[in-house]
């Protein structure tokens, strides 16, 4: 099934700031097959949003792309397949042909994608009239339909409201309705459900899944909610300090994580089963990318760090056809290190839960 | 300090209503007859779907709105009607709110130290410049920021650090009640854990009570002593965390708990949450009342409905 929709190769980006150059993206590789769902997880500031903004050609003006390509393959209205390198295209062309049409993005903060002076109905219809070339009447009917699909009650009335008259979660759902209104090939969701409660979150995720199945849309989720990742993703990319440090299919990342940073992330989740009085946190803070990183960027926070970690950057070690991790612990010469016992117990318990559930396996 | 139930509640909310008139024919009953109380040192978690009225309750309590109806008592004082000078000061100092979006609530042109010290300045809570600086430095240290951070601007901080600034700004007033509206939702897991641990430590140290508004039930479970479940502006169920999680009675609460995602792909992939749709639930919230089940566990419904729910969960 070699139907790759997105192929990011060796992406490397620096921001020029008054304090000096910030090397925010340090060689990112990522690919996505049509119809698949990929999640990107990682600490705040690790570069998740920047990578996806680059793919949409909406990078900030002070960004310098040092290297890389972003190959996007999409279907034209006549059914033919087009292939472009987003990085070689002009912003104007991308805005006209790709954004909101072939690739839609749901942004972290819903307020940034809504115009406070326009009713939500108008905003929803605008894109559809422009991209789908349908009449205002058709657009209005479709807008009402979309609003109810994302779980907004009394959609007809809500159409006439302004963003500030809606609750935080409702605004987010309006943005989701806008993003899917033009049947994109690729949907990028940047923390799409953080403002939503669990029942609506579940509904939205199920809705996106359904759209995905119906239209063969590929989805990229940027999220810190590992419960969401567990529910939706086929593959997971773990990002740290501008690099992908572990990638694998969902089972490999959740049940056989190999990078100490992934261990930390999984351990920090509150666990409904145990009543620890404190949550686990990863010690220290991420590196300041104003300074060039030497060796493994995670080393100063890594209790398992080896001597080589402070000298040389680890390559991606292959664990299986789909599972790779960038840590020297995987080097054949490294001492054998197991994941923290607490995490290992939790994984055992999760696997047991599955057996008791009888669901699959 | 743990929650102290032997004292009078620090906050009493009785029959609070908050209506918004959107047009001549459309009024949103954002909060409709909600009552609950919070004890000194207690953490009360408020959960419920988006639009259920959580933020409106928080903003009503701290009087960013004039409540349509109902009575709110804080530290024995009625804070509902027109406030006299002393009551207003009590409200603005002893009660603080941490807002959902740290960036939007911090003035980008002000230094962090001055943002944190703003409340002190307004209420003249120091006699010398040194005393002011000392107070700010102490709070910075308490939330895990360095004294050098005083001169930085908000954009020079990461999301988690900014959220600490929001917490510091609330704490410096020595509040006895902190309303935290989705204060960790926008943070990644490792920082969420830091902030929640920090809030717990501060409660130990200062004995402050929290109204913790959130939709992440695993965090709410972790931090709260009691929980209130809100839907369509009504309080549908309340009780200790233990009572709510071990025996959820209301069908809405049950659907809410069933929707908590777990970081276990094999169980999560196949699972769908329990459906709950008010329109087809057969329930009429106007007919029911909040009724005591046992201990501090209350559920909203008619006698018949409640009997059925108890039957099916026993
Ligand atoms: N225009 C810019 N100028 C300078 N630095 C920038 C700019 N945009 C982003 N950065 C920096 O690049 C890094 C990655 O930012 P990005 O927004 O991708 O983080 P993220 O992984 O999405 O984090 P979060 O989870 O907080 O959203 C950060 O260190 C950020 O400060
Ligand atoms: N200023 C306002 N004018 C009109 N309606 C409002 C206003 N503020 C809130 N509402 C309405 O009141 C209801 C409750 O909103 P509120 O913001 O309290 O919800 P919430 O429970 O905090 O939701 P979320 O989890 O999405 O933040 C919503 O229907 C909202 O549209
Ligand atoms: Mg981001
Ligand atoms: Mg809210």
């Amino acid at each position: 099934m070699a139907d790759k929709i997105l192929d990011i190769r060796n992406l490397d980006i620096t921001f020029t700031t008054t304090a000096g150059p910030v090397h925010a993206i340090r060689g990112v590789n990522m690919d996505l097959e049509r119809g698949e769902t990929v999640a990107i997880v990682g600490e705040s500031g690790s570069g998740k949003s920047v990578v996806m903004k680059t793919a949409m050609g909406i990078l900030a003006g002070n960004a310098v792309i040092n290297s890389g390509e972003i190959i996007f393959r999409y279907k034209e209205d006549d059914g033919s397949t087009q292939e472009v390198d987003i990085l070689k295209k002009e912003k104007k062309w991308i805005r006209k042909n790709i954004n909101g049409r072939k690739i839609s993005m749901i942004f972290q903060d819903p307020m940034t994608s809504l115009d406070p002076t326009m009713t939500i109905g108008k905003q929803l219809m605008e894109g559809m009239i422009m991209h789908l070339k349908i009449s205002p009447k058709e657009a209005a009917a479709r807008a009402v339909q979309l609003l109810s699909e994302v779980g907004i009650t009394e959609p007809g009335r809500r159409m006439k409201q302004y963003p500030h008259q809606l609750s935080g979660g409702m605004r987010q759902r309006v943005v989701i309705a806008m993003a899917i209104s033009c049947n994109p090939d690729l949907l990028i969701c940047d923390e799409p459900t953080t403002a939503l409660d669990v029942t609506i979150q579940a509904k939205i995720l199920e809705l996106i899944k359904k759209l995905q199945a119906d239209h063969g849309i590929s989805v990229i989720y940027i999220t810190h909610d590992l419960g969401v990742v567990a529910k939706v993703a086929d593959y997971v990319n773990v990002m740290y300090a501008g690099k992908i440090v572990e990638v694998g299919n969902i089972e490999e990342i959740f049940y056989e994580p190999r990078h100490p940073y992934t261990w930390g992330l999984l351990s920090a989740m509150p666990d409904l089963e145990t009543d620890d009085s404190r949550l686990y946190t990863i010690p220290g803070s991420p590196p300041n990318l104003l300074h060039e990183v030497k060796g493994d960027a995670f080393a100063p926070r890594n209790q398992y760090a080896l001597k080589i970690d402070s000298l040389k950057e680890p390559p991606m070690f292959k664990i299986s056809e789909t599972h790779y991790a960038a840590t020297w612990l995987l080097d054949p010469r490294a001492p054998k290190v197991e994941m923290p016992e607490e995490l290992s117990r939790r994984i055992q318990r999760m696997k047991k839960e599955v057996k008791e559930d009888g669901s699959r396996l | 300090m743990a929650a102290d139930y032997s004292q009078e509640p620090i906050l009493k909310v009785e029959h609070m209503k908050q209506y918004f008139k959107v047009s001549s024919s459309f009024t949103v009953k954002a909060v409709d007859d909600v009552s609950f109380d919070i004890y000194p040192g207690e953490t009360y978690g408020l959960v419920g779907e988006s639009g259920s009225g959580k933020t409106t309750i928080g903003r009503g309590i701290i009087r960013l709105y004039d409540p349509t109806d109902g009575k709110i008592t804080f530290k024995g004082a009625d804070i509902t009607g027109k406030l006299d000078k002393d009551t207003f000061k009590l409200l603005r100092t002893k009660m603080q709110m941490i807002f959902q979006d740290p960036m939007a609530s911090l003035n980008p042109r002000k230094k962090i130290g001055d943002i944190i010290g703003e409340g002190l300045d307004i209420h003249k809570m120091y006699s010398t410049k040194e005393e002011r600086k000392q107070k700010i430095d102490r709070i910075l240290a308490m939330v895990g920021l360095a004294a050098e951070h005083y001169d930085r601007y908000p954009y020079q901080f990461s999301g988690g650090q900014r959220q600490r600034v929001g917490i510091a700004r609330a704490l410096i007033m020595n509040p006895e009640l902190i309303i935290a509206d989705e204060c960790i939702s926008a943070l990644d897991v490792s920082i969420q854990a830091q902030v929640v641990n920090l809030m717990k430590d501060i409660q130990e140290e200062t004995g402050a009570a929290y109204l913790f508004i959130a939709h992440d039930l695993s965090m709410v479970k972790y931090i709260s002593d009691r929980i209130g479940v809100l839907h369509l502006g009504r309080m549908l169920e309340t009780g200790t965390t233990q009572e709510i999680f071990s025996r959820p009675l209301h069908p809405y609460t049950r659907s809410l708990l069933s929707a908590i995602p777990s970081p276990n792909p094999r169980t999560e992939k196949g699972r769908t949450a329990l459906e709950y749709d008010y329109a087809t639930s057969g329930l009429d919230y106007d007919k029911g009342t909040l009724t005591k089940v046992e201990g501090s566990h209350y559920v909203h419904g008619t006698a018949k409905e409640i009997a059925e729910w108890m039957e099916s969960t026993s």
Side-chain angles (χ1 to χ4, degrees):
Chain A
M1 198 187 86
D3 189 9
K4 265 192 205 168
I5 178 164
L6 192 71
D7 198 348
I8 301 179
R9 286 293 137 229
N10 200 19
L11 186 66
D12 200 288
I13 297 172
T14 302
F15 289 104
T16 4
T17 70
T18 49
V22 175
H23 197 176
I25 305 298
R26 306 182 302 125
V28 163
N29 294 296
M30 189 185 306
D31 48 36
L32 177 62
E33 303 266 330
R34 193 169 298 278
E36 243 175 32
T37 306
V38 166
I40 309 179
V41 300
E43 226 160 355
S44 177
S46 58
K48 307 179 297 288
S49 297
V50 169
V51 169
M52 286 307 129
K53 283 183 181 165
T54 316
M56 287 201 73
I58 49 171
L59 210 45
N62 63 334
V64 180
I65 298 176
N66 306 316
S67 71
E69 51 184 27
I70 299 183
I71 308 293
F72 176 54
R73 295 188 190 85
Y74 61 97
K75 292 236 159 48
E76 280 291 12
D77 296 336
D78 62 15
S80 65
T81 305
Q82 292 292 327
E83 178 176 314
V84 292
D85 181 351
I86 299 277
L87 295 183
K88 294 218 170 70
K89 288 288 181 185
E90 286 193 20
K91 280 195 174 176
K92 220 168 121 189
W93 182 90
I94 298 174
R95 212 174 301 134
K96 179 150 174 279
N97 295 285
I98 302 292
N99 288 0
R101 190 142 181 240
K102 301 297 173 197
I103 308 182
S104 269
M105 183 151 171
I106 299 168
F107 290 93
Q108 230 165 336
D109 178 2
M111 256 344 226
T112 56
S113 358
L114 292 171
D115 180 344
T117 65
M118 220 200 261
T119 63
I120 58 158
K122 242 195 164 142
Q123 300 189 47
L124 250 172
M125 289 160 58
E126 213 178 38
M128 290 191 279
I129 294 172
M130 186 167 97
H131 290 312
L132 302 180
K133 312 210 164 46
I134 55 177
S135 72
K137 206 169 147 214
E138 276 175 281
R142 202 173 136 76
V144 170
Q145 165 71 25
L146 281 165
L147 286 177
S148 73
E149 266 187 58
V150 295
I152 290 187
T153 50
E154 304 195 73
R157 276 178 168 161
R158 296 287 185 189
M159 290 273 285
K160 295 188 203 99
Q161 287 194 296
Y162 290 89
H164 77 270
Q165 293 175 314
L166 304 179
S167 78
M170 287 178 188
R171 285 200 285 262
Q172 186 61 298
R173 279 178 278 163
V174 170
V175 171
I176 292 170
M178 271 166 73
I180 59 178
S181 65
C182 297
N183 303 323
D185 289 47
L186 172 61
L187 181 64
I188 302 172
C189 309
D190 195 348
E191 306 280 6
T193 57
T194 36
L196 303 177
D197 67 278
V198 284
T199 51
I200 307 265
Q201 170 177 302
K203 262 196 208 155
I204 297 270
L205 296 178
E206 278 155 27
L207 170 74
I208 295 177
K209 261 191 178 173
K210 181 174 170 296
L211 288 164
Q212 208 174 349
D214 292 353
H215 306 281
I217 303 176
S218 315
V219 182
I220 298 176
Y221 279 98
I222 303 178
T223 179
H224 60 250
D225 188 333
L226 295 171
V228 170
V229 176
K231 191 175 175 72
V232 300
D234 302 315
Y235 292 92
V236 184
N237 289 280
V238 181
M239 227 174 146
Y240 186 77
K243 269 190 103 101
I244 289 175
V245 296
E246 182 159 7
V247 57
N249 68 31
I250 183 88
E251 299 234 333
E252 289 163 335
I253 298 294
F254 277 82
Y255 302 136
E256 296 152 38
R258 301 299 287 273
H259 198 288
Y261 176 63
T262 315
W263 295 343
L265 270 188
L266 290 169
S267 304
M269 282 275 295
D271 188 342
L272 287 171
E273 305 307 318
T274 52
D275 285 305
D276 311 327
S277 62
R278 290 185 75 75
L279 294 168
Y280 174 82
T281 61
I282 302 171
S285 47
N288 185 345
L289 296 174
L290 263 174
H291 311 296
E292 224 19 78
V293 175
K294 190 151 183 271
D296 181 350
F298 188 59
R301 304 172 72 186
N302 182 2
Q303 65 178 114
Y304 310 102
L306 307 171
K307 213 192 253 156
I308 188 167
D309 277 309
S310 54
L311 305 171
K312 214 172 153 196
E313 189 152 36
M316 273 291 204
F317 287 94
K318 181 171 174 177
I319 302 149
S320 78
E321 276 310 314
T322 46
H323 192 185
Y324 295 80
T327 164
W328 284 116
L329 293 179
L330 292 171
D331 190 276
R333 288 161 294 181
K336 196 162 165 45
V337 172
E338 298 290 343
M339 70 174 79
E341 224 179 287
E342 179 59 41
L343 180 61
S344 157
R345 269 201 298 274
R346 191 194 279 205
I347 292 174
Q348 288 314 317
R349 208 178 48 240
M350 291 198 306
K351 286 187 171 164
K352 201 160 145 257
E353 220 175 279
V354 180
K355 289 211 187 95
E356 283 163 1
D357 248 26
S359 57
R360 306 213 281 146
L361 246 186
Chain B
M1 191 185 105
D4 187 351
Y5 296 106
S6 65
Q7 291 188 43
E8 276 293 294
I10 183 165
L11 179 80
K12 270 204 225 152
V13 176
E14 296 166 275
H15 307 290
M16 177 181 184
K17 288 186 184 170
Q18 186 79 57
Y19 294 175
F20 296 106
K21 198 169 167 172
V22 176
S23 69
S24 57
S25 63
F26 187 32
T27 296
V28 177
K29 295 184 176 178
V31 179
D32 205 5
D33 198 15
V34 163
S35 304
F36 65 99
D37 41 31
I38 303 181
Y39 288 85
E42 187 185 33
T43 300
Y44 190 87
L46 202 53
V47 301
E49 70 173 26
S50 166
S52 57
K54 306 181 295 293
T55 298
T56 308
I57 289 180
R59 296 174 72 100
I61 291 172
I62 204 161
R63 286 301 301 275
L64 292 173
Y65 296 137
D66 285 322
T68 310
D69 197 11
K71 183 174 172 196
I72 304 167
T73 316
F74 177 59
K75 282 174 72 70
D78 182 347
I79 54 167
T80 331
K82 199 165 160 15
L83 302 173
D84 61 41
K85 222 176 126 208
D86 289 345
T87 319
F88 186 74
K89 181 157 182 190
L90 173 84
L91 186 63
R92 283 289 171 265
T93 54
K94 292 297 169 199
M95 192 195 286
Q96 293 292 320
M97 187 150 175
I98 304 171
F99 293 92
Q100 173 160 12
D101 179 358
M103 200 53 190
S105 63
L106 303 179
N107 183 341
R109 275 183 288 276
K110 270 183 115 165
K111 288 181 179 165
I112 289 300
D114 293 328
I115 291 177
I116 295 174
E118 204 169 41
L120 296 181
D121 298 340
I122 294 172
H123 298 284
K124 309 208 172 45
M125 288 167 67
Y126 50 87
S127 36
T128 62
K129 274 238 145 56
E130 286 72 52
E131 193 190 337
R132 177 180 183 271
K133 179 88 170 67
Q134 251 172 24
K135 283 190 164 172
I136 295 171
D137 285 350
R138 205 185 132 254
I139 294 289
L140 280 172
M142 199 163 169
V143 300
L145 294 172
E148 299 88 76
H149 286 135
Y150 188 104
D151 290 317
R152 287 216 202 163
Y153 292 92
Y155 71 90
Q156 293 170 314
F157 286 98
S158 75
Q161 287 174 324
R162 281 201 289 263
Q163 197 53 274
R164 285 159 187 264
V165 173
I167 293 174
R169 184 169 61 165
L171 281 181
I172 199 160
M173 307 302 289
N174 267 325
E176 290 173 39
L177 175 66
I178 297 179
I179 301 172
D181 187 4
E182 307 271 10
C183 72
I184 53 165
S185 319
L187 307 175
D188 62 79
V189 257
S190 54
I191 298 177
Q192 274 189 358
Q194 280 175 21
V195 172
V196 167
N197 285 342
L198 172 70
M199 287 179 70
K200 276 200 161 182
D201 291 346
I202 286 167
Q203 190 167 49
E204 293 266 310
E205 203 179 313
T206 67
Y210 293 137
L211 175 61
F212 188 81
I213 301 175
H215 60 259
D216 178 348
L217 279 147
S218 46
M219 275 298 175
V220 170
K221 176 178 185 225
Y222 178 76
I223 198 171
S224 308
D225 299 302
R226 282 189 302 143
I227 291 175
V229 180
L230 216 62
H231 189 228
L232 300 177
R234 310 269 187 150
M235 183 70 83
L236 292 187
E237 189 159 358
T238 179
T240 63
T241 305
Q242 166 72 19
E243 286 165 339
I244 298 288
F245 272 81
S246 63
R247 197 186 181 193
L249 288 173
H250 199 284
Y252 176 68
T253 312
R254 298 165 65 80
S255 83
L256 208 56
L257 297 190
S258 81
I260 302 176
S262 104
N264 190 352
R266 285 187 199 162
T267 51
E268 205 51 41
K269 280 265 158 42
R271 206 172 60 105
T272 41
L274 287 176
E275 279 281 336
Y276 178 80
D277 182 4
Y278 179 55
T280 58
S281 66
L283 302 180
D284 180 353
Y285 290 172
D286 286 335
K287 294 216 176 86
T289 47
L290 196 63
T291 310
K292 180 166 173 162
V293 181
E294 60 185 335
S296 49
H297 194 173
Y298 291 74
V299 66
H300 186 282
T302 63
K304 188 165 159 280
E305 285 160 3
I306 295 173
E308 268 172 33
W309 299 333
M310 297 204 27
E311 176 78 23
S312 69
T313 54
S314 62

